[in-house]
Amino acid sequence: MEPLTIHITNVKDEYFIALSDIKFLEVEQNYVDFYLVNTVVKNVRMTLTNAMELINQNGGFEVHHLAMVGRKHIINFDKVTAINYKDAEIQLEGCSSPISLSKTAIKDAKDFLVKCNKRGVLCADTFLMQLLLPLDQLNSGAKTYENGVEYVDLGLPSGLKWAACNFKGENPGKWGAGRQWGVRKWTNDLRKSSYPHYDVRYGKDGEPRYHFNKSEMKPSMDAVHMTLKGGWHIPSKEDFGELFTYCKGTYCFTFDHENAIKGILLEGKNGNRIFLRISRDRPSETFYWTRDVHENHGPWAVNIPDEFFNIEVALLGKEMGKPFTIKEGHITCTFQTYEPHFEAALRPVTMGVEGE
């Protein structure tokens, strides 16, 4: 198989560079230096964005693991051997000194390491090790079923039981199958014009105006209930409120066979627990649908908070003998209305009729 390459010219010279030979690129004004495994090509007249576009002609990050980090660097994450969050530096294979990044860029670098599953590098951060939990330890108190679906009894006052996994998720770390609100079947068409629960009116300018036309979710609209049957259904706002009020919340991350996964571990007073995953693609906008509707603004969703950046800083402060500022056990969720034609995650709940 031919290696992935890019073609560049430098004054009178030209180069065909294998992407696997790139350690990193560094820009200075309108010139880019290519730091390769066996040589350095300096003063190539282009912008960093131009260089990234050339690289991406071979495919996206999942193909070559090269990404722009900050305003000055493109880094090959296959070459990263260590990351130093405290000093905002990363060390690359074959480089005598680390690369310095901004605080924002070092966070982006960590996210790219997660995407390409550099578990050894991530776990070299001792304060991150405090957040690591094996995949098979995310749930406890499960192994009870309704209609063949596993649930966990968290000892909640209502008696409600929460599914061990997201809807259609194979294990607690899987995102599962999201849905539009009140739509039973999955679709890749998320346009407003295709969503079934909008009324359409046209303004004087001829443009469509979409108005959400549901005041409640009927059982026939509940993808969880219609698929899993029995007592399974989508939780209400009150259900999510009870979950976060009566359970201790702890941020953690885990690994499946391919990727690192972030989320919140919620532990009931009886010691049983479940894991709510944070979206990999849009961590600050992780939404789970509720069944409830705001009378004026559409359906309610729960925004699961992503505080990993803050908690990493707090854990680092703890290592350095500074106050631990994150309050463990006081993680709260935020309710907000969400566009119903968008897709959000589903977490089933039931009152728990045991039986296979």
Side-chain angles (χ1 to χ4, degrees):
M1 183 177 177
E2 292 293 323
L4 303 177
T5 61
I6 56 173
H7 176 218
I8 64 171
T9 57
N10 182 21
V11 191
K12 295 181 180 180
D13 299 319
E14 65 176 356
Y15 303 87
F16 291 89
I17 298 174
L19 298 189
S20 59
D21 285 344
I22 295 174
K23 291 190 286 188
F24 70 97
L25 278 59
E26 190 170 56
V27 69
E28 188 64 42
Q29 294 182 346
N30 290 325
Y31 293 89
V32 175
D33 297 336
F34 286 70
Y35 290 82
L36 310 177
V37 171
N38 294 315
T39 189
V40 179
V41 179
K42 283 187 167 287
N43 299 324
V44 179
R45 187 171 179 80
M46 64 170 54
T47 66
L48 205 62
T49 300
N50 295 150
M52 198 70 241
E53 289 172 350
L54 277 177
I55 292 168
N56 284 338
Q57 288 177 4
N58 291 277
F61 178 81
E62 68 279 359
V63 174
H64 48 63
H65 291 172
L66 284 129
M68 190 184 305
V69 181
R71 298 180 179 180
K72 295 191 64 176
H73 297 94
I74 290 175
I75 293 170
N76 186 344
F77 283 87
D78 286 337
K79 308 292 186 186
V80 176
T81 58
I83 182 166
N84 183 333
Y85 192 84
K86 174 185 174 184
D87 298 324
E89 295 177 338
I90 60 172
Q91 183 67 52
L92 275 73
E93 179 182 314
C95 294
S96 58
S97 57
I99 298 173
S100 295
L101 301 172
S102 67
K103 289 293 184 181
T104 301
I106 200 70
K107 181 178 181 296
D108 291 339
K110 190 165 292 182
D111 289 342
F112 283 119
L113 286 169
V114 168
K115 287 182 179 180
C116 62
N117 197 22
K118 296 281 283 189
R119 180 173 183 170
V121 175
L122 285 166
C123 292
D125 269 341
T126 55
F127 61 91
L128 271 181
M129 280 293 289
Q130 298 178 55
L131 305 177
L132 177 64
L133 195 68
L135 185 63
D136 60 2
Q137 294 182 22
L138 294 179
N139 282 335
S140 66
K143 306 304 180 186
T144 45
Y145 299 83
E146 180 178 343
N147 283 8
V149 180
E150 195 173 11
Y151 65 78
V152 179
D153 182 356
L154 297 165
L156 299 172
S158 68
L160 194 69
K161 314 300 189 294
W162 285 75
C165 307
N166 280 359
F167 179 61
K168 298 285 189 178
E170 299 171 4
N171 62 56
K174 294 292 186 183
W175 183 246
R179 292 286 190 274
Q180 298 170 301
W181 191 92
V183 175
R184 291 163 50 185
K185 295 185 178 180
W186 180 85
T187 176
N188 61 0
D189 185 354
L190 301 181
R191 295 175 299 170
K192 281 188 173 183
S193 58
S194 301
Y195 181 67
H197 303 315
Y198 280 140
D199 291 329
V200 184
R201 299 186 182 93
Y202 290 87
K204 293 180 180 180
D205 57 2
E207 294 297 319
R209 306 287 192 269
Y210 296 96
H211 176 71
F212 184 66
N213 61 18
K214 296 297 178 185
S215 59
E216 63 177 341
M217 177 182 282
K218 296 180 179 179
S220 61
M221 298 160 57
D222 187 333
V224 167
H225 178 69
M226 297 303 294
T227 303
L228 304 184
K229 308 299 182 182
W232 288 108
H233 59 277
I234 293 174
S236 65
K237 278 182 65 182
E238 183 179 355
D239 297 335
F240 270 107
E242 180 187 53
L243 179 69
F244 278 82
T245 298
Y246 288 93
C247 293
K248 174 186 174 182
T250 307
Y251 285 98
C252 71
F253 75 100
T254 190
F255 286 86
D256 61 15
H257 297 298
E258 300 175 352
N259 300 293
I261 299 162
K262 300 189 297 183
I264 298 172
L265 204 65
L266 290 156
E267 183 175 319
K269 294 180 180 180
N270 60 5
N272 294 339
R273 61 196 186 195
I274 63 170
F275 177 76
L276 280 184
R277 178 178 161 165
I278 292 172
S279 169
R280 179 182 296 116
D281 299 325
R282 305 180 71 180
S284 64
E285 298 182 14
T286 299
F287 289 101
Y288 283 75
W289 281 127
T290 79
R291 60 185 302 104
D292 294 326
V293 176
H294 188 287
E295 60 181 351
N296 296 316
H297 301 291
W300 288 101
V302 176
N303 187 2
I304 303 299
D306 175 22
E307 291 288 343
F308 264 78
F309 178 75
N310 293 332
I311 201 165
E312 288 167 10
V313 171
L315 285 169
L316 178 60
K318 186 178 181 182
E319 280 200 340
M320 298 173 67
K322 295 181 180 180
F324 184 53
T325 57
I326 294 294
K327 294 182 179 180
E328 293 180 343
H330 290 80
I331 300 173
T332 58
C333 61
T334 302
F335 296 103
Q336 61 186 82
T337 55
Y338 191 52
E339 296 283 3
H341 62 283
F342 289 167
E343 192 175 87
L346 304 175
R347 188 58 167 250
V349 293
T350 182
M351 291 307 292
V353 179
E354 188 170 344
E356 294 287 347

